[in-house]
Amino acid sequence: MNDFILQPGQLALGDLRAAWSAHTPLTLALDAWGDIAASSAAVAAIVAKGEPAYGINTGFGILAKAHIPVEQLATLQRNLILSHAVGTGPLIDDQIVRLILLTKIGSLARGYSGVRPLIVETLIALYNANIMPAIPAQGSVGASGDLAPLAHMTLAMLGVGQVRHNGVLVDAGDALAAAGIAPVVLGAKEGLALINGTQVSTALALHGLFLAERLLEAAMVTGALSVDAARGSDAPFDARIHAVRGQPGQIAAAAIYRELVAGSAIRASHLVGDERVQDPYSLRCQPQVMGAVMDLIGNAGRTLLIEANAVTDNPLLFTDGDAGVILSGGNFHAEPVAFAADSLALAIAEIGALAERRIALLIDANLSGLPAFLVREPGLNSGFMIAHVTAAALASENKSLAHPASVDSLPTSANQEDHVSMATFAARRLHQMAHNTCVIVGIELLAACQGIEFHRPLRTSQTLESVHAQLRAQVAPYDADRFFAPDIEAARTMVWQGAVSASCKALFTTLHP
């Protein structure tokens, strides 16, 4: 397999999805090394002058007035890492840590952070050796960057703490030695450049984004299955309805639903003589709701792609020939990431909320026309009764989790850092929300496929029959009560892994710029 060539500032969402999905070694574009070296030389020149410059030869935060002698600069940077490595909670998954390393490498390699080429080389070596720093998930407020988690990332470069090497938790020093990577001694500004930045919150939000994309696809498929299971109408998907409103996501979603149900014999069976005038909103308004979700996910993706390519540490070095200008600002403030993550939380919650309503519809014989609770001999059998309760419980939980994190702020660093984004939590909670919605959509997949079978010998569309067959290869029809949790787990896994939409992936290409 060829290495991925990283061109700083030019990562695409496809590159980030690929890194999230699997480990592939990377190589930095050759023309990036000159910019890194020039930025490092500018720091060296500032140190040689001896004039106070924040982050280079001063203390940090409220301690910025303390001037540090040259002979103590290495100690200053090491102390910064050790004192800021105060994270707690479960370790961030390796697939997210890969994104953290990738985006940190890309940011430093743009040549505004003042680190030596050695620092970037070491990060690349860790990435390529599949040595993932052990980073606790909690402890960042999303400004002044993701200080605590990025400090844990940097510990690995020093040979301190723990890492996961090929998924196994080991001592960092041992892992570096086994891979032939020398621990680094940090130079002026390098520790600060490594821990300042939004790479952790951005990586967590990208994880939520990619899961949201899978959930959107799966829920559109299961929603289309539910339309046929409930003998609903495809008239609400007519392109003319959506064109006169003009919302782009809605128009795109309606087109997908039309394709998903095209050719259904179940639909054809009740085109004439159906007494129902309109379907419930959970069937009829799917393009409006899921189209709005599609737009939210797309907007969040655009924001996060910019952030993944951004330079977000502080201060920044701007070089012009041999001269260097150091500017102190606030790119580490992760408000764009917090807003994107909060938007994704709304999207994920609404995907699950709408799916839960369709499950409720399918189990209600008065609405669906199907056997009560989707099982023969209801009463003797409870069928999907309590599976729906699980879906309702998780949909309700997501309502609380969807409360915006970005509206909260607690001042830190003796009020020097007096407004923060809370982006890291905003992004971190997306994993739990995605899990909840994944279960809900998985239960809908089971329920809708069960409903489809009550219409046999009629068949749904070719696309949806393929999804039905894929589920039935793993889960038998629910003919009578049995241990239900394994069925739900099998369906959840299909949703989580993106398998539900795999057979009709071409329909969703507009989701993946």
Side-chain angles (χ1 to χ4, degrees):
M1 183 180 294
N2 295 329
D3 285 8
F4 167 65
I5 307 298
L6 172 59
Q7 186 70 53
Q10 297 183 28
L11 282 167
L13 278 176
D15 300 328
L16 294 161
R17 280 192 204 93
W20 174 72
S21 298
H23 177 260
T24 301
L26 68 85
T27 300
L28 186 64
L30 288 176
D31 58 3
W33 293 106
D35 293 334
I36 299 169
S39 180
S40 177
V43 170
I46 292 169
V47 171
K49 288 181 181 178
E51 297 175 359
Y54 176 72
I56 294 178
N57 53 15
T58 71
F60 307 104
I62 200 70
L63 303 176
K65 295 179 181 179
H67 184 226
I68 310 300
V70 172
E71 62 272 15
Q72 293 183 329
L73 292 184
T75 301
L76 170 71
Q77 296 298 316
R78 183 178 177 86
N79 286 349
L80 175 71
I81 304 307
L82 297 175
S83 66
H84 283 53
V86 293
T88 189
L91 298 181
I92 297 175
D93 291 344
D94 282 359
Q95 66 179 154
I96 303 172
V97 177
R98 278 200 303 271
L99 291 176
I100 295 170
L101 289 177
L102 176 61
T103 53
K104 177 56 82 172
I105 292 165
S107 178
L108 296 179
R110 287 187 61 183
Y112 297 101
S113 302
V115 302
R116 292 167 294 163
L118 172 66
I119 298 300
V120 178
E121 290 168 353
T122 303
L123 283 170
I124 293 173
L126 290 175
Y127 188 98
N128 287 346
N130 203 19
I131 296 174
M132 298 292 113
I135 303 177
Q138 295 172 280
S140 174
V141 295
S144 185
D146 293 312
L147 296 172
L150 286 174
H152 284 274
M153 178 201 77
T154 308
L155 283 179
M157 302 173 66
L158 309 182
V160 177
Q162 290 185 308
V163 298
R164 277 195 293 249
H165 188 205
N166 296 321
V168 179
L169 198 63
V170 296
D171 179 78
D174 293 341
L176 265 61
I181 302 170
V184 300
V185 176
L186 298 171
K189 194 186 179 297
E190 290 177 340
L192 185 60
L194 284 160
I195 69 170
N196 237 195
T198 63
Q199 286 77 32
V200 173
S201 52
T202 300
L204 288 164
L206 285 167
H207 175 68
L209 171 73
F210 301 148
L211 291 176
E213 291 172 345
R214 287 184 179 178
L215 290 168
L216 175 62
E217 292 181 10
M220 292 180 77
V221 171
T222 59
L225 277 163
S226 290
V227 169
D228 260 6
R231 296 173 71 245
S233 174
D234 59 355
F237 307 148
D238 190 297
R240 291 168 290 186
I241 296 172
H242 309 286
V244 297
R245 191 179 199 183
Q247 293 289 351
Q250 179 179 326
I251 292 169
I256 292 171
Y257 282 111
R258 287 196 301 275
E259 289 293 326
L260 286 171
V261 300
S264 168
I266 296 174
R267 172 58 182 142
S269 72
H270 62 97
L271 280 170
V272 178
D274 195 327
E275 296 179 352
R276 296 169 299 175
V277 177
Q278 294 188 121
D279 294 325
Y281 290 0
S282 60
L283 298 181
R284 186 184 358 146
C285 296
Q286 288 187 78
Q288 288 79 6
V289 177
M290 299 302 272
V293 166
M294 189 183 296
D295 285 337
L296 269 185
I297 291 173
N299 290 336
R302 284 184 283 275
T303 296
L304 294 175
L305 178 59
I306 292 170
E307 197 72 7
N309 283 294
V311 180
T312 53
D313 58 295
N314 179 66
L316 298 176
L317 275 295
F318 296 87
T319 59
D320 181 10
D322 294 331
V325 176
I326 185 165
L327 297 177
S328 186
N331 279 1
F332 50 70
H333 200 295
E335 196 81 343
V337 180
F339 284 167
D342 282 346
S343 295
L344 287 170
L346 295 176
I348 291 169
E350 280 298 272
I351 292 170
L354 196 64
E356 181 276 325
R357 287 292 78 206
R358 291 191 297 266
I359 299 166
L361 183 157
L362 291 175
I363 66 173
D364 187 337
N366 294 320
L367 289 174
S368 68
L370 297 167
F373 302 109
L374 297 172
V375 68
R376 291 184 173 85
E377 298 188 74
L380 175 63
N381 296 291
S382 294
F384 279 70
M385 179 190 296
I386 306 304
H388 168 250
V389 172
T390 295
L394 296 178
S396 182
E397 185 176 308
N398 274 354
K399 293 177 184 178
S400 295
L401 288 171
H403 179 80
S406 57
V407 299
D408 187 26
S409 177
L410 280 174
T412 61
S413 193
N415 282 312
Q416 173 76 2
E417 297 158 5
D418 57 353
H419 181 274
V420 298
S421 70
M422 297 300 177
T424 320
F425 168 67
R428 180 166 51 83
R429 99 307 201 155
L430 297 177
H431 179 92
Q432 182 61 53
M433 294 186 70
H435 168 80
N436 292 347
T437 295
C438 189
V439 174
I440 297 168
V441 175
I443 292 172
E444 184 187 14
L445 175 63
L446 293 167
C449 286
Q450 185 82 358
I452 291 290
E453 289 167 3
F454 285 113
H455 299 307
R456 294 300 192 219
L458 296 176
R459 300 178 73 79
T460 184
S461 70
Q462 183 176 346
T463 298
L464 296 180
E465 285 291 345
S466 175
V467 176
H468 175 273
Q470 189 178 2
L471 175 71
R472 285 292 171 250
Q474 300 185 52
V475 179
Y478 198 95
D479 294 327
D481 281 349
R482 62 173 185 252
F483 182 24
F484 207 164
D487 296 1
I488 294 173
E489 177 58 21
R492 183 204 69 82
T493 300
M494 285 180 62
V495 176
W496 189 264
Q497 294 179 346
V500 174
S501 58
S503 63
C504 51
K505 200 70 175 178
L507 294 178
F508 299 97
T509 52
T510 56
L511 278 176
H512 306 300

